[in-house]
Amino acid sequence: MTTKWDDAKKFSLILFTTDGFSLMASRVESIGAMQAFVQAADKRSFKLAGQTVGLTPSAVGKAIQKLEDQLGVRLFHRSTRSITITDEGLLFLDRCRRILAEVEAAQAELAVAGAAPRGRLKISLPVEPTLLLPVVSEFTEAYPDIELDLDINDRFVDVIEEGFDAVIRSGVPKDSRLLHRKLGTFEWRFVASPDYVGTYGAPMAASDLAGHRCLRHRYPETGRLMPWPVESVLEAAAVPVTIAANMMGPLLELAEKGRGIAFLPHFAVFRKIEAGLLVEVLPAQSKEVGSLNLLWPASRYPLPKVRVFVDFIATRLAREFVELRSTGSA
């Protein structure tokens, strides 16, 4: 039967301290001896410590005696009935706890790293099928043992409370409980369909928007309209609201159908512009820059399914944004 003591014999450490208790370059032969010492200090008994680490009381006593010989200090005062930790033992105990915690953390990290990525992955994506869904589809092909549960909407989601493994959102991450990776930066564009421009004409200046049909985005979490960059030139109240929606996807579809002018991320519209389904208007006003970020709950040991999703999506989308910039479509 393999015990914690047997597993720990593989380790050896050099301990250092910055105070008067000198352990400089003292060699500890086994982490198992440190485990026995910590258990003996906690339980005030060699017998109870031995039951925890899988050793006899005599073996625990010998291991601690060896530590004392190596360190040149007494760790316990011993009597026939009890043991009492010394001041030097208390100092050593604090250091041992930290070292053992690091060893356990390293073992846990290696165990997680070696596990195969599988299981259910709950993901939230904005309503933008052009760029994100093809990459997500590639991920499912690369990792068939991972089941994706997609929540597609533009609303603010509480990643922790709603149990998401990862989300993709634009804007600056603000939740300190989350880790994040920037997937890329993008500009916004005023777009309309060729039919709309043919019927109503293209605005030549920001002030011309007062006479146009405007498709506006309303923030789901606040109910406020997303500002347009022309509002420094044109009073916000003068920008018409023909249709407002709390998701970008419907605005994209409505613009393509000729219902008005929309202000949308370029990565969401560039393929439709290339296909002639949309045209850009007011290019001089399209100076707004945003960022797309991947966010996931902070964890010292992320699950393999989360780790591979983060790495895959970040790598693929970073490549997409590089290609967009190289073609002038960023």
Side-chain angles (χ1 to χ4, degrees):
M1 174 178 168
T2 302
T3 66
K4 294 180 181 179
W5 172 268
D6 296 323
D7 293 336
K9 284 181 180 178
K10 303 172 184 177
F11 295 93
S12 64
L13 296 174
I14 302 297
L15 302 181
F16 299 91
T17 186
T18 57
D19 49 36
F21 181 54
S22 177
L23 299 178
M24 187 67 70
S26 296
R27 184 174 180 79
V28 177
E29 296 297 337
S30 175
I31 296 296
M34 296 172 64
Q35 291 173 329
F37 163 69
V38 170
Q39 291 299 323
D42 287 344
K43 295 177 170 55
R44 300 176 184 271
S45 165
F46 287 173
K47 179 180 179 180
L48 295 178
Q51 292 174 355
T52 302
V53 299
L55 295 172
T56 64
S58 175
V60 171
K62 289 179 181 178
I64 293 174
Q65 180 65 58
K66 189 172 183 179
L67 279 177
E68 291 176 328
D69 293 342
Q70 290 173 337
L71 300 170
V73 297
R74 183 176 292 277
L75 300 175
F76 291 106
H77 296 301
R78 299 166 175 83
S79 71
T80 56
R81 293 186 177 182
S82 65
I83 60 172
T84 305
I85 195 166
T86 64
D87 290 341
E88 292 84 359
L90 284 172
L91 180 61
F92 186 56
L93 178 64
D94 179 66
R95 184 58 60 91
C96 285
R97 290 192 196 281
R98 281 181 279 167
I99 291 171
L100 292 175
E102 287 298 319
V103 171
E104 291 179 6
Q107 291 172 333
E109 189 172 16
L110 290 173
V112 169
R118 63 177 64 250
R120 178 173 171 269
L121 202 61
K122 187 177 180 182
I123 306 298
S124 181
L125 306 175
V127 183
E128 191 296 296
T130 306
L131 185 70
L132 300 180
L133 285 184
V135 176
V136 171
S137 176
E138 290 178 21
F139 174 80
T140 62
E141 293 179 12
Y143 295 95
D145 291 333
I146 295 179
E147 171 194 344
L148 284 186
D149 182 353
L150 298 181
D151 178 83
I152 302 178
N153 63 75
D154 289 329
R155 70 180 177 88
F156 171 82
V157 296
D158 189 316
V159 180
I160 304 296
E161 295 300 323
E162 297 184 47
F164 285 102
D165 293 297
V167 304
I168 296 178
R169 285 295 184 272
S170 60
V172 179
K174 297 178 181 178
D175 193 333
S176 61
R177 301 172 301 170
L178 305 178
L179 299 176
H180 71 276
R181 286 176 68 171
K182 180 184 288 188
L183 302 175
T185 57
F186 59 89
E187 294 182 356
W188 294 72
R189 296 286 191 267
F190 287 102
V191 294
S193 71
D195 287 344
Y196 177 88
V197 172
T199 302
Y200 297 96
M204 304 306 294
S207 58
D208 294 341
L209 285 173
H212 277 272
R213 302 172 65 83
C214 297
L215 310 175
R216 305 291 301 274
H217 179 250
R218 189 182 299 279
Y219 293 122
E221 59 271 21
T222 65
R224 295 180 178 178
L225 291 172
M226 175 185 172
W228 280 11
V230 298
E231 290 177 0
S232 60
V233 178
L234 187 67
E235 289 294 330
V239 179
V241 183
T242 303
I243 300 177
N246 60 6
M247 293 191 295
M248 293 286 185
L251 297 177
L252 175 61
E253 184 174 349
L254 288 167
E256 187 178 343
K257 290 181 179 299
R259 300 297 185 266
I261 297 173
F263 187 60
L264 298 168
H266 196 213
F267 64 76
V269 300
F270 80 96
R271 287 195 174 96
K272 293 184 180 295
I273 293 175
E274 290 179 344
L277 300 175
L278 291 173
V279 294
E280 183 179 357
V281 298
L282 292 176
Q285 301 295 334
S286 300
K287 297 179 180 179
E288 197 83 4
V289 177
S291 63
L292 198 65
N293 296 280
L294 178 59
L295 305 95
W296 68 99
S299 172
R300 194 170 186 178
Y301 311 113
L303 294 174
K305 62 182 181 179
V306 176
R307 188 179 65 251
V308 296
F309 181 80
V310 168
D311 291 342
F312 185 94
I313 297 299
T315 300
R316 280 291 288 109
L317 285 181
R319 191 185 312 159
E320 289 285 340
F321 278 106
V322 167
E323 291 177 0
L324 290 178
R325 286 194 297 270
S326 67
T327 59
S329 301

